[in-house]
Amino acid sequence: MKDADPLRLARAKETFLDKATSIRHLLGHPLEMADLISAFKEGFFLALGRDLNAEFEESPLTPGELEMTERLAAEKYQSDEWNMIR
């Protein structure tokens, strides 16, 4: 946020860093993106497949899904308001 109070932003960042961690920190080493994606897929498949008795099929994102991810990234997840203020 361009108009945000710098002191408020600093406090928000400090609060976030007190509560947040990273996969790198938890594992003690960096993780390749492909390994991270594989772990997430496996976790979702195991949890949801077991709990919902569901089967999954991978497919590419539709044009609408791609547009939604780009819009959310730009308008929401890259904003200071979303990342620091809330």
Side-chain angles (χ1 to χ4, degrees):
M1 286 177 66
K2 294 175 184 158
D3 299 340
D5 174 14
L7 183 58
R8 186 173 178 198
L9 284 174
R11 283 194 310 259
K13 182 177 180 179
E14 184 178 328
T15 299
F16 173 79
L17 293 175
D18 286 343
K19 295 178 181 181
T21 191
S22 68
I23 293 172
R24 176 186 290 197
H25 176 77
L26 292 171
L27 293 176
H29 59 82
L31 187 64
E32 295 294 324
M33 185 58 75
D35 294 332
L36 180 64
I37 291 169
S38 178
F40 270 103
K41 282 182 187 177
E42 183 178 344
F44 281 119
F45 291 165
L46 290 174
L48 297 175
R50 177 189 64 232
D51 294 344
L52 301 176
N53 196 25
E55 294 183 24
F56 296 92
E57 180 179 314
E58 286 190 54
S59 62
L61 295 176
T62 66
E65 291 167 332
L66 287 170
E67 185 276 328
M68 184 187 308
T69 60
E70 291 169 1
R71 183 176 45 79
L72 284 170
E75 295 175 6
K76 184 173 187 178
Y77 300 120
Q78 293 177 4
S79 73
D80 286 344
E81 184 172 358
W82 173 261
N83 289 299
M84 296 183 185
I85 304 301
R86 59 183 182 93

